């Protein structure tokens, strides 16, 4: 019988396969314990590679292995996540935590050093009862980047109200200078700068999403909170700024083009985060740049900067090397190690004992950060499965804003239905 | 099955070596395709995000799927794109094949030139064309004073799909071309000689002789092509990344972005639907090609 025989052949083959996987799972005992360390930020890899080299040399019993390329979702899916993660904290990371995939770190002394308002940013996205699973490591504050020389030449002061901003733009336009450089070929740039700064400057982002999460499937044209109602004003201001004050070819330009053009002084302002400074410096190392929050109202008291947790640490429940990972986490969170990192990457410290930011390019945001006047990017609070950045790009390129925002509402309600 | 075991007939001895050929691929196929597919379909009835805690949610994912305009739009785009591309690819490849099998100079080198796109990876082609569409073409357009060309067509929600169609066509022509050349070479020369004696012109020969005799190849190319274009992914990622807005999001792109965005169960439901549709098309294809071969 062919069938019987095939089973006979299959069984040993399967056995060999299982043996193979079983063997790879346990490594020899006297080799140093391997801790897989996942890092998401490409710009930070050289920095951490050095750090790991030092740590490995000083510790014989452990070997930290840097992993910056494997697919995180697939790793968790297979039950084989990294032992320690230091990643951008976003909705997807929050989802890992919400489903209990990340272990509790509340007993670590490092957890007690985190600034409470920064730890709040974590729980704005999700939480798991009784656990502190994510420890913020570095916060990036982002706002309008401006060319100090152009501002000085045109006699323009940093605007603190919406009307002052319009006046500054008109003045620049009259002098033949493009006020803002737009790079709408890359959808994320439309979301990160244009959408987030305008919405965040006017709407209380955390409260809004709290209401939206509570409404869930009820979000719609008549619900107490909705994208089409609460975001209508800021988004129409965004459209107005884009239509009147950006370069004519913004639709076909991308992030790389923008950095180059801004470095060459082709516009006075640029809506990007501090990560762009390094790229701009490649072209214009001595260009004097500053930052200020985008004014959306007539009251300077309303000014706030956009922040995101650029790096946050966590240890998965499924890790088999939790203790070694915790030890390395403590090392990473040592005050001097953290301060050095944040100074190098233009980040803001997340702990009570962190050194204040001193780079002149980001000190324009320091007062707001220290006073807690910040919000997390509203485009980032929408799960990735909704193509928010693409919708925003559509608006920036001249699409119907009202329609795009009501599509967002519908997507939000549909997602709530199945979660 | 039972019929064959009941009727006694001489046992056909099967060489064991054939099982040795069959089993490894069977095991690999089952482990890497069949099993994950079944697991995926199972999870489409849950609210899983791929790991961690989950619950059964019944058909909710499917209900949400059918009322999701983004999913509907991706199906419309993908099928429209596949239909347009398949026509364009086949018309161009057929005409090229006719030219490249005619008595012309440099035939072999020309064939090599036209087949080159086949050996370049899709994502690289897409990035190169992305640069051409975003920078070179607009500059040409501005220099020539052509209004609609002076802005990247990839930045225009109404026109971006044309860019995707053009690049996919460019990439898909070689494979189709090779099949057509094989088909044209298989037509015996005496048929044309007879047509010449009867006084048929070149055009009449093309329509009355060449086309009917390669009809089987046309069917194969159209159906294979259509199925491949439904899976459009790498070229779109490199060219538009689904944009501007969501104008060029194909079904596979929606599935992958949703999956990596933590929407595992929902996109598994989407993938299951897509699977059923592709199977239906494949069955249709088998049916039609079988009919053709009988001709």
């Amino acid at each position: 019988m062919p069938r019987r025989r095939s089973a006979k052949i299959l069984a040993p083959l399967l056995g060999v396969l299982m043996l193979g996987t079983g063997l790879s799972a346990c490594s020899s005992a006297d080799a140093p314990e391997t801790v897989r360390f996942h890092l998401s930020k490409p710009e930070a890899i050289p920095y951490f590679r050095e750090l790991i080299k030092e740590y490995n040399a000083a510790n014989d019993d452990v070997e930290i292995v840097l992993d910056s390329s494997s697919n995180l979702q697939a790793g968790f899916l297979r039950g084989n996540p990294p032992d320690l993660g230091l990643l951008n904290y976003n909705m997807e990371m929050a989802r890992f935590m919400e489903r209990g995939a990340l272990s509790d770190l509340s007993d670590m002394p490092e957890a007690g050093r985190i600034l409470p308002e920064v730890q709040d940013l974590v729980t704005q996205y999700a939480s798991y009862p009784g656990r502190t699973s994510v420890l913020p490591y570095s916060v990036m504050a982002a706002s309008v980047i401006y060319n100090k020389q152009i501002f000085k030449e045109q006699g323009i002061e940093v605007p603190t109200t919406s009307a002052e901003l319009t006046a500054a733009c008109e003045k620049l336009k009259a002098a033949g200078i493009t006020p803002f450089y737009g790079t709408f070929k890359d959808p994320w740039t439309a979301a990160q700068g244009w959408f987030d700064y305008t919405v965040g400057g006017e709407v209380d982002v955390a409260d809004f999403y709290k209401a939206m999460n509570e409404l869930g499937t009820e979000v719609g044209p008549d619900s107490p909170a909705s994208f089409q109602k609460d975001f209508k004003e800021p988004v129409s201001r965004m459209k107005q700024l884009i239509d009147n004050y950006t370069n004519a070819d913004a639709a076909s330009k991308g992030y790389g083009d923008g950095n180059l053009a801004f470095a060459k002084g082709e516009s006075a302002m640029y809506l990007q985060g501090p990560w762009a400074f390094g790229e701009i410096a490649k072209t214009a190392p001595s260009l004097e740049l500053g930052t200020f929050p985008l004014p959306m109202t007539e009251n300077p008291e309303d000014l706030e900067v956009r922040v995101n947790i650029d790096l946050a640490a966590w240890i998965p429940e499924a890790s088999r090397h939790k203790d070694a990972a915790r030890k390395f986490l403590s090392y990473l969170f040592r005050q001097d190690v953290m301060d050095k990192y944040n100074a190098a990457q233009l980040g803001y410290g997340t702990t009570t004992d962190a050194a204040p930011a001193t780079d002149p390019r980001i000190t324009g945001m320091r007062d707001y950060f220290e006073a807690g006047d910040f919000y997390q990017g509203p485009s980032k609070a929408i799960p990735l499965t909704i193509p928010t950045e693409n919708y925003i790009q559509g608006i920036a390129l001249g699409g119907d804003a009202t329609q795009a925002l009501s599509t967002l509402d519908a997507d939000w309600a549909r997602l709530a239905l199945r979660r | 099955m039972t019929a064959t075991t009941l009727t006694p007939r001489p046992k056909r001895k099967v060489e064991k070596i054939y099982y040795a050929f069959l089993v490894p691929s069977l095991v690999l196929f089952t482990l890497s395709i069949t099993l994950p597919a079944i697991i995926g379909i199972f999870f489409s009835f849950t609210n899983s995000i791929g790991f961690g805690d989950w619950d059964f949610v019944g058909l909710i994912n499917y209900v949400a799927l059918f009322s999701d305009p983004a999913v509907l739009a991706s199906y419309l785009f993908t099928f429209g794109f596949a239909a347009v591309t398949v026509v364009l690819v086949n018309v161009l490849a057929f005409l090229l094949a006719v030219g490249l099998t005619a008595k012309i100079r440099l035939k072999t080198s020309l064939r090599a030139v036209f087949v080159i796109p086949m050996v370049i990876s899709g994502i690289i082609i897409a990035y190169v064309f992305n640069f051409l569409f975003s920078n070179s073409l607009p500059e040409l357009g501005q220099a020539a004073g052509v209004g609609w060309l002076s802005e990247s067509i990839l930045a225009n929600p109404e026109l971006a799909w044309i860019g995707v169609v053009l690049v996919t066509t460019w990439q898909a022509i070689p494979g189709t071309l090779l099949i057509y050349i094989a088909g044209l070479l298989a037509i015996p020369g005496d048929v044309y000689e007879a047509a010449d004696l009867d006084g048929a012109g070149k055009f009449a020969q093309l329509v009355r002789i060449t086309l009917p005799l390669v009809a089987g190849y046309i069917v194969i190319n159209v159906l294979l092509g259509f199925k491949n274009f439904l899976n459009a992914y790498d070229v779109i990622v490199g060219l538009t990344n689904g944009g501007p807005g969501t104008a060029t999001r194909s079904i596979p792109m929606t599935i992958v972005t949703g999956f990596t965005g933590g929407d595992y169960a929902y996109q598994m439901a989407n993938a299951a639907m897509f699977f059923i549709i592709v199977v239906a098309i494949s069955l249709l294809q088998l049916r039609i090609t079988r009919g053709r071969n009988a001709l």
Side-chain angles (χ1 to χ4, degrees):
Chain A
M1 288 266 99
R3 198 188 271 173
R4 187 82 48 79
R5 185 170 308 154
S6 68
K8 248 186 224 164
I9 297 169
L10 267 174
L13 251 172
L14 277 175
V16 168
L17 268 173
M18 284 171 193
L19 200 70
T21 50
L23 273 177
S24 62
C26 56
S27 48
S28 57
D30 45 350
E33 190 175 1
T34 305
V35 172
R36 211 147 54 81
F37 171 48
H38 191 106
L39 179 72
S40 69
K41 195 179 164 75
E43 299 91 336
I45 290 172
Y47 180 85
F48 281 103
R49 195 177 282 144
E50 280 305 306
L51 208 66
I52 291 167
K53 212 190 273 171
E54 281 169 33
Y55 186 82
N56 282 342
N59 295 276
D60 293 338
D61 54 337
V62 68
E63 197 191 351
I64 311 289
V65 178
L66 184 66
D67 170 9
S68 52
S69 56
S70 67
N71 185 325
L72 211 58
Q73 178 93 10
F76 274 96
L77 207 125
R78 286 193 302 260
N80 180 30
D83 299 305
L84 172 66
L86 192 62
L87 289 249
N88 192 278
Y89 179 75
N90 53 27
M91 284 303 284
E92 278 49 58
M93 277 329 303
R95 207 62 64 196
F96 290 119
M97 164 165 75
E98 198 179 26
R99 302 283 173 124
L102 305 181
S103 67
D104 184 24
L105 304 174
S106 58
D107 57 319
M108 296 191 70
E110 285 73 23
R113 281 165 53 210
I114 309 290
L115 287 163
E117 62 267 33
V118 173
Q119 194 69 45
D120 275 351
L121 296 173
V122 173
T123 41
Q124 273 173 21
Y125 285 169
S127 53
Y128 190 87
R131 281 191 196 171
T132 305
S133 325
V134 174
L135 299 182
Y137 191 73
S138 171
V139 167
M140 284 273 165
S143 57
V144 184
I145 301 175
Y146 72 103
N147 185 320
K148 285 186 175 167
Q149 198 189 334
I150 296 180
F151 267 49
K152 206 194 284 168
E153 280 167 9
Q154 300 301 321
I156 297 170
E157 292 286 316
V158 167
T160 54
T161 65
S162 189
E164 282 175 28
L165 178 72
T166 310
C169 288
E170 285 299 334
K171 205 166 176 184
L172 287 164
K173 215 174 158 185
I177 300 165
T178 307
F180 295 101
Y181 201 90
T183 55
F184 303 128
K185 189 178 153 197
D186 285 325
W188 72 268
T189 67
Q192 186 282 138
W194 291 91
F195 182 80
D196 283 359
Y197 297 177
T198 47
V199 171
E202 207 172 317
V203 177
D204 187 326
V205 179
D207 279 357
F208 171 76
Y209 281 104
K210 209 169 150 233
M212 288 292 277
N213 280 317
E214 274 161 15
L215 285 167
T217 53
E218 276 152 45
V219 168
D222 305 317
S223 59
S226 68
F227 290 111
Q228 51 194 309
K229 205 173 66 211
D230 298 63
F231 285 15
K232 191 177 168 219
E233 288 278 314
V235 168
S236 72
R237 172 70 169 158
M238 170 183 108
K239 248 182 105 67
Q240 189 219 339
L241 289 174
I242 288 173
D243 291 346
N244 294 309
Y245 303 125
T246 55
N247 44 318
D249 53 1
S252 23
K253 296 297 175 190
Y255 173 59
D257 304 317
N259 292 336
L260 185 65
F262 187 69
K264 285 188 189 157
E266 284 177 29
S267 81
M269 290 174 278
Y270 190 37
L271 300 194
Q272 267 300 343
W275 44 82
F277 285 127
E279 301 299 310
I280 297 167
K282 284 179 189 163
T283 314
S286 55
L287 189 65
E288 267 193 72
L289 300 172
T291 37
F292 64 86
L294 185 78
M296 286 297 293
T297 65
E298 292 310 316
N299 183 1
E301 297 286 307
D302 292 341
L303 290 173
E304 288 193 358
V305 292
R306 174 196 192 271
V307 295
N308 67 300
I309 302 179
D310 198 46
L311 290 181
W314 42 258
I315 296 173
E317 271 295 344
S319 163
R320 283 186 297 268
H321 308 285
K322 284 204 191 80
D323 289 334
R326 279 168 163 246
K327 246 179 90 183
F328 185 57
L329 188 146
S330 295
Y331 173 70
L332 290 177
F333 275 75
R334 246 170 52 185
Q335 195 187 344
D336 55 326
V337 177
M338 275 183 108
D339 284 348
K340 217 172 120 197
Y341 171 79
N342 282 315
Q345 298 288 332
L346 302 178
Y348 279 88
T350 56
T351 52
T352 45
D353 49 12
T358 51
D359 191 293
R361 291 173 292 184
I362 59 167
T363 44
M365 300 179 285
R366 197 169 78 192
D367 292 345
Y368 302 99
F369 180 77
E370 281 169 1
D373 289 335
F374 51 70
Y375 57 88
Q376 290 198 97
S379 70
K380 291 284 168 201
I382 306 168
L384 265 184
T385 181
I386 298 176
T388 317
E389 292 179 350
N390 292 70
Y391 293 155
I392 296 167
Q393 182 196 38
I395 300 174
L397 294 181
D400 185 346
T402 319
Q403 200 192 329
L405 289 176
S406 57
T407 307
L408 260 181
D409 281 328
D411 284 354
W412 183 274
R414 241 190 318 276
L415 187 63
L417 174 73
R418 58 181 197 261
R419 276 259 160 89
Chain B
M1 203 60 197
T2 40
T4 49
T5 45
L6 281 178
T7 44
R9 62 173 191 186
K11 251 191 196 168
R12 207 152 45 98
K13 187 113 174 80
V14 181
E15 285 279 351
K16 277 186 186 145
I17 188 78
Y18 292 132
Y19 290 116
F21 288 149
L22 180 66
V23 166
S25 47
L26 192 71
V27 169
L28 275 180
F29 187 83
T30 313
L31 285 181
S32 58
I33 308 247
T34 318
L35 210 62
I38 292 171
I39 296 172
I41 292 172
F42 170 80
F43 276 111
S44 72
F45 299 104
T46 70
N47 68 350
S48 169
I49 55 169
F51 51 83
D53 315 332
W54 52 268
D55 294 304
F56 277 108
V57 294
L59 287 172
I60 279 182
N61 284 324
Y62 290 88
V63 172
L65 193 67
F66 284 113
S67 65
D68 190 336
V71 167
L72 188 70
S74 76
Y75 274 79
L76 280 179
F77 165 75
T78 310
F79 279 88
F81 155 78
V84 173
T85 313
V86 90
V87 170
L88 204 61
V89 166
N90 280 281
V91 169
L92 291 177
F94 181 76
L95 292 179
L96 273 176
V98 170
L100 290 176
T101 48
K103 292 193 183 71
I104 54 164
R105 262 182 237 181
L106 295 171
K107 194 156 61 180
T108 333
S109 4
L110 275 179
R111 277 187 201 169
V113 168
F114 282 110
V115 171
I116 285 175
M118 205 171 175
V119 295
I120 312 174
S121 121
I123 194 87
I124 294 173
I125 293 175
Y127 279 130
V128 171
F129 273 95
N130 186 342
F131 185 83
L132 292 178
F133 281 133
S134 308
N135 299 302
S136 312
L137 271 184
E139 262 172 46
L140 272 179
Q142 277 159 15
V146 186
W148 63 271
L149 204 64
S150 54
E151 200 181 62
S152 167
I153 61 165
L154 298 180
N156 186 329
E158 313 277 305
L159 299 178
W161 66 275
I162 297 178
V164 178
V165 166
L166 287 180
V167 177
T168 311
T169 304
W170 190 79
Q171 188 203 18
I173 279 179
T176 317
L177 176 68
L178 287 182
I179 294 180
Y180 278 134
I181 288 180
L184 289 172
L185 290 178
I187 302 175
D190 44 6
V191 192
Y192 290 108
E193 278 170 32
D196 267 336
L197 287 179
D198 288 343
K202 284 288 168 205
F203 184 72
Q205 285 184 17
L206 181 71
V207 177
R208 299 279 171 84
I209 298 178
T210 315
L211 271 180
L213 284 176
V214 294
Y217 294 88
I218 298 179
V219 172
I220 289 176
N221 269 333
V222 166
L223 291 171
L224 279 183
F226 190 71
K227 202 160 61 82
N228 283 341
F229 299 144
L230 286 185
N231 287 325
Y233 182 75
D234 49 354
V235 168
I236 301 183
V237 168
L239 269 185
T240 62
N241 208 2
T246 51
T248 57
R249 254 162 87 100
S250 68
I251 306 165
M253 267 196 81
T254 312
I255 293 173
V256 173
T257 45
F259 165 73
T260 47
D263 211 358
Y264 180 73
Y266 182 60
Q267 292 307 340
M268 284 305 121
N270 193 1
M273 284 312 301
F274 189 44
F275 173 69
I276 291 170
I277 291 171
V278 173
V279 165
I281 291 172
S282 303
L283 287 178
L284 196 73
Q285 163 188 352
L286 274 177
R287 249 219 152 118
I288 298 173
T289 42
R290 202 177 288 153
R292 272 297 163 191
N293 287 345
L295 273 176

